[in-house]
Amino acid sequence: AGRTRADDDDVVYLDEAAPAPRGLAAALRTRFSPRWHVYDAPPQRILRALAQVSPPADLIYMEESFGWYADVANRSTRPVVVGLRGPWFMNGAALRAGPLTKGDAFRIAREGRGLTVAAGVTAPSQYVLDGVREHYGLALPDAVVIRNPVRPVSSERRWRAAAADIDEILFIGRFDR
């Protein structure tokens, strides 16, 4: 309860923020493939950081964002487990409030192809897991549902419609589908 990064002796956190690619090579690559820094650069940074972890990690756990896990899994000797949190085929359409773009289609295909090389998959709900299986036509035999942790509340403290104030709304979470 209340653990912080400093308390996690067996977990290594890699910095999420990294400088944007710079220099002539990055400028040329961006000219020919404008979104390379979204798809190629992050896995390269992740792999460089993983190479510095000592002793080496037993397992790499990554979210499905942009399909980065596929590049990491293909270039790492460690198993990569993918955490499904917001597959783009589910969230992209909701966030766009309109038709998906070619870039969205590329991202969705990339995320799906990447699942074929994952050592395992986790999902926060059966709905998300079933949707991913159906959308990509994958069995995902090593997938499990690990629900987001929620502390149980005593029956006296649980929300009840009869006791609710109709002029109040409580939202807890993030604006995501």
Side-chain angles (χ1 to χ4, degrees):
R3 292 183 66 125
T4 64
R5 286 185 177 204
D7 297 330
D8 293 326
D9 295 333
D10 297 327
V11 176
V12 176
Y13 292 89
L14 303 179
D15 288 333
E16 295 175 19
R22 295 177 187 224
L24 181 59
L28 289 171
R29 189 153 187 198
T30 300
R31 174 99 168 125
F32 294 105
S33 180
R35 297 195 39 93
W36 79 272
H37 63 280
V38 172
Y39 292 104
D40 297 338
Q44 291 171 8
R45 289 193 304 264
I46 291 166
L47 287 161
R48 279 195 302 272
L50 286 170
Q52 297 175 13
V53 174
S54 181
D58 295 323
L59 174 82
I60 302 166
Y61 181 80
M62 298 178 66
E63 287 192 14
E64 84 283 343
S65 298
F66 300 101
W68 295 336
Y69 50 86
D71 294 330
V72 173
N74 286 329
R75 296 180 191 150
S76 175
T77 59
R78 303 294 177 212
V80 174
V81 174
V82 178
L84 301 172
R85 295 290 177 256
W88 201 244
F89 78 88
M90 290 180 157
N91 288 337
L95 294 171
R96 288 262 184 250
L100 295 176
T101 67
K102 287 181 184 178
D104 292 324
F106 178 79
R107 177 177 175 173
I108 290 166
R110 183 177 162 92
E111 288 179 358
R113 281 191 310 272
L115 291 171
T116 64
V117 298
V121 175
T122 69
S125 70
Q126 194 64 50
Y127 175 82
V128 169
L129 183 55
D130 290 345
V132 167
R133 283 176 167 151
E134 181 180 334
H135 183 82
Y136 293 115
L138 299 172
L140 300 176
D142 294 319
V144 296
V145 172
I146 300 176
R147 301 197 185 286
N148 293 326
V150 177
R151 285 193 178 152
V153 176
S154 68
S155 60
E156 307 83 54
R157 298 191 63 214
R158 288 189 192 138
W159 181 86
R160 292 181 314 281
D165 180 343
I166 62 170
D167 294 323
E168 284 186 11
I169 296 174
L170 172 63
F171 172 80
I172 300 174
R174 66 181 191 193
F175 291 105
D176 201 1
R177 187 169 175 184

